[in-house]
Structures are given as structure tokens and as C-alpha cells.
Amino acid sequence: MNTVLFAFCVLGGLGVLFGLVLAIASKVFHVDEDPRIAQVTECLNGANCGACGYAGCSGYAEAIVKGEAKIGLCAPAGAEGAAKISAIMGQVPGEFVRQVAFVKCSGGSHAHLKYTYNGVKDCALASSSIGGGPLMCVSGCLGFGNCIKACRFGAISIVDGVAKVDHEKCRGCGACAEVCPKKLITVIPYRAAATVACNNTDKGGITRKVCESGCLGCHICEKICPHNAVHIIDNLSVKDFSKCLRCGVCAEKCPRKLIYFPDVLMEQAKKVKEADALEAKKAAEAKAAAEAAKKAAEEKKAAEEAEKPKA
């Protein structure tokens, strides 16, 4: 009994001693943290998605305060968060371009099957199975939802066998793109239009056999684009966002209707076209009226000259 009590007292004494040593050490070696780190962290989304390139929101906040990272890398925080952080750091807010995820596939139920897959409903496992998965199109979305699990904002759902992104919920963190084994998901500007929902680079004849909605590389979009913003690269239509003015012509003419163009932007494009047509009509009418007035003036002058008595 005495031995047990003695051991208990020794262990208890050591615990108290080590506790005092740690407490003293924490005071002696204490380093004050810049209060701005906590303030910046509060302005971030808290998703810890890593899209900024740092290990979590606190790591990014610390890098900002130390001047090692620029403001605006946190996509989920958006422009509002960037503005708040700029105010904390005493800087003028820079331009923030909202980003969203986009799935480059329109296949789903339109894609033909090589075989029936009865394995685990996981995109990574299915893509590593025979022939890269059950789809004849090796670039197509498998629709098993790994991206849904990765999304912290509930912005992705499976519609008609293919992943679809709700751009109003998406914060552009890119977590879904990281887990997609087919690398079908890319991050694009929120206001981007005419994005091609296909990733198949096979020739048109092969694409017809594997998917009913894949890009055929027909060059129609490339030929009709008035801004030289669309090009066929490796049998696939590719958009140059720096040149695209969102006129919507390519989306209207695409025979497979796989060029993504939001309804809101399409309506805006129609209004712009109508306004341009009305402006052109007014300009033509004004020109015709000016020419008619000029002609009438010339005719009047000629008539007056003719009526003058000859010397």
C-alpha cells in the first residue's frame, strides 16, 4: 500500500513540476501574434479548400499579413472578402474576377456503353477498371459523384448521368476539379459564355459512334465567330475568353447544342443584337434622309439657276 501511495505521489509531483516548467516556458518564449491574422482569417470563407495554394485559411491569412501572398486568392470569400481584407491591410482593393467550375461533358445518358459496370460507384475506381470505365467515350463523365462529395457548397449534382454545376452556389475553389479522374472539370470566369461542354478529342466519325452529343470538330463555330474567339484544336472546339464578346452566335449554330451559354447571357446577347440592328436601321434611315435632302437641295439650286434670266 505504501509503495502504491509513494508511486502515486512521485508521479503527481512530476506532473506538477513539468506543468510548471511548461507554463514558465510558454511565458518566456511567448511570441505575440499579429492581431491582423485573426481579423483576416475571419474574412475568409473557412472552407480550408486549399484553392489559394496554402494549407488552410489560417495559413493564407498569415501569408497575407506577412506580405508573402496577394489578396484575392480566396475564391470562396469572393470580392466582398477581398475588399474587407484590403481594408484591414490598408490597401486599395484590386480587381476580383469570380470563378466557377464547369464540367466539360454533355454525355451522360447520351454516351454509349462498352459494358455494364457493377462495381463500387466511385469515379476513380471505375476509371481504373477495364478500358478506362464503362463508357465508349474514354473522356466522358462517369456520373458517380466524386465531385459532389468534394464540394463543400452543395453546388454539384448529377443530371441525366453527368455532373452539373450550379454557378450561383459554386465558389470556384476547384476542389471538384482535383478529384475528377477524367480531368473534365475546369474553373472559368463566372461571366464566361460559350464554353464547350465536351472533352473528347477524337475525330468526328469516331465521336458519333461513342456519344450522341460530343463535339464533332465541324468548324462551324470557328467559321461563324465574328471575333475569332473559337478555334478547333485536336478535333475539339476551344474558346478564347479574352476575345469572346458573348454574342451567342456559336451557341445558336452548334449542331449538337453543346456550347454552354447561360439563358441570362443569351437574352442579353439577343437584346444587344436587337439594339445593334435598330441602331443600324436608324443610321441607314438618317443617311438616306441626308442624301435625299442633299439631292433636293441640288435640284432646287439647279432649278433656281435655270430660272435666272440670261444676260
Side-chain angles (χ1 to χ4, degrees):
M1 182 67 182
N2 292 333
T3 303
V4 174
L5 182 61
F6 176 75
F8 179 78
C9 291
V10 170
L11 291 175
L14 289 173
V16 172
L17 177 63
F18 290 149
L20 290 173
V21 171
L22 290 174
I24 294 172
S26 66
K27 295 293 184 180
V28 173
F29 299 105
H30 174 71
V31 178
D32 292 328
E33 183 181 80
D34 192 321
R36 293 179 300 174
I37 295 177
Q39 295 173 1
V40 171
T41 302
E42 291 179 0
C43 298
L44 301 176
N45 186 269
N48 293 309
C49 58
C52 58
Y54 292 86
C57 296
S58 59
Y60 177 44
E62 185 175 352
I64 289 176
V65 173
K66 289 182 178 179
E68 299 172 355
K70 65 178 184 179
I71 298 171
L73 296 181
C74 181
E80 183 180 355
K84 291 180 179 179
I85 295 173
S86 297
I88 293 171
M89 299 302 297
Q91 299 179 16
V92 178
E95 182 182 4
F96 180 86
V97 179
R98 182 180 172 185
Q99 305 282 313
V100 292
F102 178 76
V103 182
K104 297 183 291 183
C105 183
S106 300
S109 61
H110 302 292
H112 300 165
L113 296 175
K114 288 184 289 190
Y115 58 85
T116 301
Y117 178 75
N118 293 316
V120 178
K121 304 301 182 183
D122 181 273
C123 297
L125 293 176
S127 64
S128 63
S129 63
I130 301 172
L135 300 181
M136 292 183 69
C137 176
V138 296
S139 303
C141 176
L142 297 171
F144 293 137
N146 287 35
C147 50
I148 294 178
K149 299 172 186 175
C151 182
R152 296 175 172 84
F153 308 101
I156 306 179
S157 57
I158 302 299
V159 180
D160 200 18
V162 66
K164 297 291 184 183
V165 180
D166 183 339
H167 286 178
E168 298 309 313
K169 294 181 180 179
C170 179
R171 292 295 177 269
C173 68
C176 53
E178 291 292 330
V179 301
C180 178
K182 298 287 187 177
K183 301 305 176 185
L184 290 171
I185 305 178
T186 185
V187 177
I188 64 174
Y190 174 73
R191 301 298 294 176
T195 308
V196 182
C198 183
N199 202 43
N200 191 322
T201 57
D202 291 330
K203 292 184 177 180
I206 298 175
T207 301
R208 286 182 185 275
K209 295 177 181 179
V210 301
C211 183
E212 297 173 11
S213 62
C215 178
L216 302 175
C218 63
H219 291 269
I220 291 178
C221 54
E222 183 179 51
K223 293 176 181 177
I224 65 171
C225 178
H227 312 295
N228 194 34
V230 189
H231 299 283
I232 302 300
I233 301 176
D234 293 332
N235 306 308
L236 180 65
S237 178
V238 178
K239 173 68 63 171
D240 183 345
F241 293 120
S242 66
K243 296 181 179 179
C244 178
L245 298 182
R246 303 199 296 262
C247 66
V249 174
C250 57
E252 291 177 357
K253 299 297 182 181
C254 177
R256 292 214 153 186
K257 303 302 178 186
L258 58 80
I259 299 181
Y260 169 79
F261 206 99
D263 293 337
V264 174
L265 294 182
M266 184 64 81
E267 188 63 30
Q268 290 178 357
K270 289 181 179 178
K271 290 181 179 179
V272 170
K273 288 180 184 177
E274 291 173 356
D276 289 343
L278 181 61
E279 191 68 25
K281 182 180 179 181
K282 289 181 178 179
E285 291 175 349
K287 182 178 180 181
E291 291 177 348
K294 181 180 179 181
K295 184 177 179 181
E298 291 175 348
E299 291 176 350
K300 181 180 179 181
K301 183 177 180 181
E304 290 176 351
E305 291 291 335
E307 291 177 357
K308 286 183 180 180
K310 296 181 180 181

